[in-house]
Structure formats: C-alpha cells, structure tokens
Amino acid sequence: MSSVAGKQKLNALSARLIALAEKWRPITLKGVPIPVTNTKLVKGQPEEMYILSMFPYPSGTLHMGHLRVYVISDCLNRFYQMRGHKVIHPMGWDAFGLPAENAAIERKVNPHVWTDSNIGKMKAQMDNMLANFSWDREIKTCSPEYYKFTQWIFLKMYEKGLAYQKEAEINWDPVDKTVLANEQVDEMGRSWRSGAVVEKRMLKQWFLGITQYRDTLRDDLKKLSHWPQKVKTMQENWIGKSTGAEISFGTSDPEFPEISVFTTRAETIFAVQYIALSVNHPIVQKYASQNSALKQFVNDIPRLSKDTKDGMLIDGITIKNPLTKGELPVFIAPYVIGSYGNSSPNDPKGAAVMGCPGHDFRDFIFWQENMSQGKPILKCIKSEVQDLPDMDPSILNPTPYTLPLGVMTEETGIFAGKRIDEARNDVIKMLKEQKIGKRVTKYRLRDWLISRQRYWGTPIPIIHCDHCGTVPVPEKDLPVRLPEIDSLSTKGGNPLEHIPEFVNVKCPSCGHGAKRETDTMDTFMDSSWYYFRYLDPENEVLPFAPEKAQNGMPVNLYIGGVEHAILHLLYSRFVSKFMGSIGMWSDKRRLYEPFARLITQGMVHGRTFVDRQTGRFLKPEEVEWEGSVPKIKSTGQPPHISYEKMSKSKYNGADPDSCIEAHGPDATRAHILFQSPIDDVLKWDETKIVGIERWTQRIFRAVNTISEYDTKFYPDYTTPEDLEEGEVEFHNAMQRAIKQITNSFEMTLSLNTVISDYMKITTLFDNALMRNNIRKEILMKNLAKFVSMLYPVLPSISEEAAEIIKKNQPTLVSWNHYAWPIREPITEWKFKRYQVVVNGRAKFWFVAEKDLFKKGREQVYETVYNDKEGNKYLRNRNYDKMVLKFNIISFVFKKRKSEEQLKKPTAQEREINRNNVIKCD
C-alpha cells in the first residue's frame, strides 16, 4: 500500500471514530444510564464511591495535564459505576485568584465576567473528552453561595482562637503586588507564580493557626497507607519536627548581648568553629545597613542556587562559645532557613546555627569555601574502634566524622569517652543547670498567612471598630459580598480600600462607624474545603450537613498533581481536621483525614527542539523531517531533541482540542493511558496514536464477524464443560485478562496495562477467528464481556460495538453491556496429549484421558495399540520395556528373531514380561 493510500485509510478511520463519538455523545456524557444490579460489590468497598479530581483554575483552556488527570478520573468513575457503586464524581472551579484579576486588569473587565466566560469554554472541552461529571454538584469558589461558607469557616476558627491578626514580616511579590505565604516562595526566594524576587515587609496580616495541628498532621501521615510515600515525606519535611537544644551564645555587640542557637547535636558544641545566620536575622539586617558589600550580598542571595555554599563574614561582631569560651566568627549563610529553630512558630526572628566542620559535611564545605585558610578542623568525637579511620568511610577525603556511633574525645573534659547519645543528654543537662540552654522541640511549619491585598478573593469577614476593636461579622450577615465593579485599572495597593461603600460600615457590636477588613483570603483557603461542599452543594444554612459528610467522607480516590503535595494537601488536611473538631463530620477512625487514597499523576512533557549552535528553542515549523530524522530547515543540521515541561517559550505545547478533533476522544483517551504509567512523566507524542486507531479497527472487525454468526446467543449462556483444547486455552486467557484488568482498575491503577491487556484480548479473538477452533457461542459470550470491559476507556466504541451485537443477535437485546463482567473459574482440558517414543525416537502424538497412566499399564498399552498410529508400531511386536514418564510413553523392542513375533502378543505373554515394565509418575 502506498503512503498516500495509507494516510487516506487512517484519515477515514479517524473520521469514523470522531463520528462515533458525536453519535454517542448524548449517552456517554451521562455515564452508565442503566443501573447495574447484577454485580456484587467487592468486600470492604463502600456502596457509595467518592472519586474526585482536583478542580481546575478557569484560565480559559484545558492543557494536556488537565486532560490526563480527567481521563484517569473518568475511567475510574465509569469502572466503579459498572461495578454497581453509586459514584460521586463532581467538578467545579477554583475561580478566585491573581490570574483572573491580572487578566481582568489587562482587558479592563470585571474578573467575574472573564471567569464565567472561561468556565463555559472549559466545560465544553470536558464534554469533548467525554468526561462524565456529576454536574448537578458543580461549584464555583467565587460564587457568594460558596464563599459565604469560606467566611463561615474563618469565623469558626476565629472563635477557637485559630484565626488572628498580627504585624509580621511578610513576603511581598513586587510584580503581583501582594503578600505570599512562606509555602509560596521557592528555595531561590522567588514568587511561585510571578517568578519575581520576593521582598520582605512588615505588615499587619491575618494568620490561621495550623501549627496547633502540627503534631497530628505529622503523626497521621503514618496512617495514610494509600498515599504515595514521596508525598508523605514532603509533608513531613515541611512540618519539619526536630528535637534538640536551644543554647544562648554571648556576642560582642551590646545591642544583641546574646543570641539563641538551635541544634539537634548539642554534643558537637566543643567543635563549633563559626556561627551562621539566616538572611532575615536582626544582626544581619543591622550590619547590612552599615556595610554596602554585605548589603549587596544579601540582595544577591535570591539569585544564588538553592545548594549554594557561598557566605560572607560579618565584620565587627564575634560570638563566644558558652562552654569553651572561645571566640567564633559570624557569617551570613544562605543555607540557613530563616525560620529554623525559632522559639515561637509565629514570631520568626531569623535563625542561627552552629557551624561544625568536623562533624557536618555541609558545614565542612562552607568552611572550606569561606574561612578555612589552613586552619585545622576541630573534632570532639572519634570512633570507638581504634583501627577504624577517624573519618566517614563513604567520603574519600579526610573530612568530618559523621558516623552515628562514636565516643567523645579527650578535649571534651568530663565527657571524654562517653558515647554520642549519652554525651548529648549530659551536655543539655549541663546547659540547663548553667541556665544557658534547654531541651526543645522545633518545627519548620509556620502559621498560615492568608491575607491578600487583592480584589478577586473571599473577603475576610472582620470589622475594625475604634471602640470595640476587632469584631467578627455576625453569621446572619454572611456572605460579605465583593462590591460590584465595572473593571479593575492597575495592580498595586488594595482595590477594596478605595471603595467607600464597602469599607465604611456600622460596628455590629456598638453601632458606631467602623471599617471593614479590606484584605481577601488566600485562594488555598477556598480549595481547602471544597470536597465537603460537593456533598451538599445546595445547603443555604451550613457549608454541608454533617450527616452527608459522615456518609460521603473521606474521598475514596483523590487524583491530582504531586506539585500540590505541600500547599493544597496540607491545608486541606488541616481544615478537614478542624471541621471534625467542631463536630461537622464523624470519622470512625477519628483521623478526620479528607482523602483515603491519593493518586498523583506525572506531568505531561512535550517534544522540544533546540538549535545546538545557538541554544534557541525551535518552533515545530522550523523543523522538517526526512523519514524519521528531523533537520533544521535553515541550516540542515539535526536539532537536539528532548522532552520537557510544556510551555509557550519552548514551543512544545499540545492542544487537547486539536488531538481530539483529529483522532476522536476515545483514541485520545486510550493513547494518554497507554503511553505511560500514571505516576510517571508522560512524554507526549501524538504520532503514536495511529497505533491506537488501527487497534480499534481490529476490535470492530472481530465484533462484526462474530456477531454475524448464524447462531442464537442468550445472555445466560453457560460455558460448557466439554471444552476442546483450544477452547480451554481461549477461556482461560479471557478469565486471566478479566482478573488482570479488574485488578488494574481497582488495586494497582496500572491503567497503561489495561490498554495492553485490551490489545491482548483483541489478538486472542484474531487468532480464534483465524484458526476457527472455538465454538461460536463461546466466542460470542466472551466478545460481549470484552465490549463491556472497553466501556471505561472507550465509551463510544463500546456503545457502537454493543449496538452492532444487539442488532445482529436479537436475543441479546436485554443484555446490559454496562455491567462489569464476572470472572469465571479457570478450567482444564479433560484430555492430554501423549508422545509415543519407540527405541528412543519420538514417533507421534495422540490424545487420551488425563489420568491414563493411573488406569494401569495394560490400559495404556491397549489405548496406544488401538490408536491408528500406535497400531503401526505395536502390531505383531512384543516390547521388552515400557517406560511411562510425564506425558511420554516409551517402548523398547529387540530385533525380531522369528515369525512368531509378528503376531500380537497375548496378555499372558505380556504378563510374563511384567518385570520389564518401568512406570515413572
């Protein structure tokens, strides 16, 4: 076939798949239209399944990452519907936030107008991919009916002392001109959204006391057995529990006579050679204001790599070791986390750590880079075993002693010879007795800063009164609505501050004139409880009815990107536990965890072309192909090809709509699943989708051929017991495939192997049709099962195949193809193939009962003798030996000596040779 003819054939196939999707769209968008009642629910699984994918921000279009998560979500949704579960599979919109506000400023429109327009477009895209969502539960976080209860939750936290306002040093995004939580600033000190270097400012802000839940948030991670370990590790590290000592070091600066240093290894105090301060430490701020070089270094820190070992000595100040009395230099060190080791999680004053080059590899590198100048490394711990080198054996250079076991050196005085753990406790005890230290437990986690100086967010329901102070808005007055505006003009400032009719109110407590709070909430507050609202979206009195949460929570399957491991997931766990603490929902395990099983899909990467000469990213139209080899059109040189995160700047994006328009939603869904396991990066290559299209053609070939057989097939047809050998193999292969596919949906979530198993079943039918060795009824029964199994991934194709079958087999008109097939037992062929060997040479195969050998040697001989082929070798001959082993029957004959041996030996003669017969089981 010519390439032109091949392309025409593929185009015709694509057109057919697109037409099928349009034909069945009214049905497929509704999900399983016929309740499934003939499937037993799996033991331990609830009758009602709550399957949730993270809701999107209505930016205007879905990207390939969205398409991937919603394909996964929808396939699982349809599978559980077919299993007889009542599935809740909702969708909504995380609609507040900076992008909408910035887009509204650019377009000079109200953010609400822009947001609603985008929601309409994205819903149409979801329909195009055949996503079956519970649209009757749809929510928008920017709807007053929704954010009324975001405010309600805030007020409940305020009542419990969890919501409070204080002046604090905050992260200020100079581009988006708003405050950022610590979690929204990366390791480079840049805004998570704008990428700008974050500035530090002092502002009065609203916080939520997530630190009061830090222990339960950390400890309960161990009980989330169906969460990815990497996510749990990320959350545990973010909470950052450390047990150690807080030690007071004296300084040479009268303004700061002592500083507090936190360490988890108090025993290394004898080997401290410097003190390292974070960039936000008040000592750094003081000396940076007096030293231009130090100030420049501070300003440059956000531009340094996250693993930098750069630092700068702070001249004019030294610190004294409280035990050895030695003077220590002081450095600013970017590796010191600004909030590490603070005495109060809500009052960060910068951090100070001990630098021990002799017992910490990071400190050793920092010392070498910034201060060593030939100075010896101090060590206060050595190996217990004398013949072990005084170094970490994993390090080639003579570097720090970092082994977990060891004893204190002679230089430590009364601690000499003590083991590390014992010495650590004794040092802390001494520090406490001398009132220069104490044992403490520290956390990295800080309270959640929710204040945002923007218009497009949930208003904080607080009124400031000169007489009464801070007054919560009465619950009856909720929601505090955003004022209607025609448009936003520019970024900067707080838009709500300039709307008098919003700001000026009466105090609900004393009736005097007062001012409304003009900060809005962090949008992560909106998304921290939305999974509750889906269960009761029309409730006008409460965020949700407690009994509905009790029946619906926790979410059984929660699907979304691993990039939300800290922010969204941690905040959601906090709010969920808070709602449990105020009796808003019941949990038998009393964990109040919102998500039972978490599924984190990998990112979608696009094929990226780079000019090797210039390093410039190339547009697809700048590359031409000679067969499978790409070349840059302008130079003829091969580009560098890689797969990277999709972005406009790299010209490697892919439009979900374009793929669906070209190949149809069914092929696109299967292609997305087939290309990669769920949690791996998906390297998007649309050219490979033709393999999926060709496979669907084979499905229809089997459906048309088998359903047109002149036989009446009934839904209750039972697989017969008298299966032939080929039928047994076919039956068992189908049962194993049903088990494997069911397990992939239900247990392992190996959805890529679901597609490969579908393909194996298709090949099974191809081979059966080619060999013509399977009864028509058996083929028809298993074809019906296969068509049902296709439904979660390929709903249009499954519907079309079911229609063809029912048309050609009228007796199947009552067949419910939405019911997930039940696996039948594996069976065995009642017969067995035996090989006959004569004088050491294999002669032929024959079929007999499986238990032939158990019937005795006489019956074995008679069976072989009566076989047409066997008679050729046994007639008129008397064997000397007969060996039975596995499925082999071996005869040993001597050469004929007389004509008497030409006749068939009698039973009596064979009995005489009984001792010559060997039986091997």
Side-chain angles (χ1 to χ4, degrees), residues 213 215-227 232 531-532 553-554 572-581 585-597:
Y213 283 75
D215 285 320
T216 185
L217 287 170
R218 181 180 182 273
D219 295 343
D220 288 351
L221 288 170
K222 299 183 181 72
K223 301 167 187 174
L224 297 176
S225 56
H226 296 296
W227 276 43
K232 294 194 287 186
Y531 45 89
F532 281 117
M553 290 290 291
S572 295
R573 294 179 63 221
F574 162 55
V575 172
S576 177
K577 288 177 182 295
F578 171 74
M579 298 300 261
S581 74
W585 73 293
S586 299
D587 178 15
K588 294 178 182 177
R589 298 177 65 191
R590 300 193 66 78
L591 293 178
Y592 301 106
E593 288 286 348
F595 312 120
R597 185 172 187 179

Side-chain angles (χ1 to χ4, degrees), residues 405-606:
L405 299 176
V407 295
M408 305 300 288
T409 65
E410 291 74 13
E411 289 79 7
T412 61
I414 62 173
F415 302 101
K418 290 187 176 182
R419 294 189 174 184
I420 291 176
D421 290 345
E422 182 185 4
R424 183 177 303 153
N425 290 328
D426 288 349
V427 168
I428 295 175
K429 183 178 179 181
M430 173 185 280
L431 293 170
K432 183 177 180 181
E433 290 172 351
Q434 297 182 14
K435 298 183 179 180
I436 54 175
K438 59 184 177 180
R439 188 184 301 276
V440 292
T441 298
K442 301 292 185 181
Y443 295 83
R444 182 185 185 211
L445 182 67
R446 296 290 168 255
D447 276 349
W448 179 7
L449 170 59
I450 65 164
S451 286
R452 298 296 179 268
Q453 293 68 42
R454 303 306 296 253
Y455 167 81
W456 194 235
T458 298
I460 294 177
I462 291 292
I463 292 171
H464 299 283
C465 175
D466 291 338
H467 301 277
C468 306
T470 301
V471 181
V473 171
E475 194 173 316
K476 66 180 180 61
D477 293 337
L478 297 181
V480 176
R481 291 176 177 264
L482 284 173
E484 289 295 326
I485 58 172
D486 294 329
S487 65
L488 291 168
S489 54
T490 60
K491 299 178 184 178
N494 187 331
L496 293 177
E497 287 181 345
H498 308 294
I499 304 176
E501 57 270 29
F502 176 81
V503 175
N504 298 318
V505 293
K506 296 290 185 181
C507 174
S509 179
C510 68
H512 286 88
K515 302 287 185 181
R516 193 184 296 282
E517 174 63 58
T518 57
D519 281 354
T520 53
M521 295 187 207
D522 178 8
T523 56
F524 280 106
M525 183 66 180
D526 305 313
S527 60
S528 68
W529 72 279
Y530 77 113
Y531 45 89
F532 281 117
R533 186 63 176 176
Y534 280 139
L535 299 173
D536 196 10
E538 302 298 325
N539 198 320
E540 297 180 358
V541 180
L542 290 171
F544 52 89
E547 60 272 17
K548 291 192 175 182
Q550 180 177 347
N551 295 331
M553 290 290 291
V555 175
N556 299 102
L557 297 172
Y558 193 40
I559 310 160
V562 72
E563 64 271 19
H564 299 292
I566 294 175
L567 297 172
H568 166 60
L569 290 172
L570 187 63
Y571 295 153
S572 295
R573 294 179 63 221
F574 162 55
V575 172
S576 177
K577 288 177 182 295
F578 171 74
M579 298 300 261
S581 74
I582 61 173
M584 282 299 290
W585 73 293
S586 299
D587 178 15
K588 294 178 182 177
R589 298 177 65 191
R590 300 193 66 78
L591 293 178
Y592 301 106
E593 288 286 348
F595 312 120
R597 185 172 187 179
L598 177 66
I599 304 163
T600 53
Q601 87 284 354
M603 299 183 72
V604 181
H605 285 188

Side-chain angles (χ1 to χ4, degrees), residues 106-118:
E106 292 172 10
R107 293 163 176 78
K108 294 182 170 50
V109 297
N110 187 307
H112 215 300
V113 174
W114 187 82
T115 300
D116 283 347
S117 171
N118 291 340

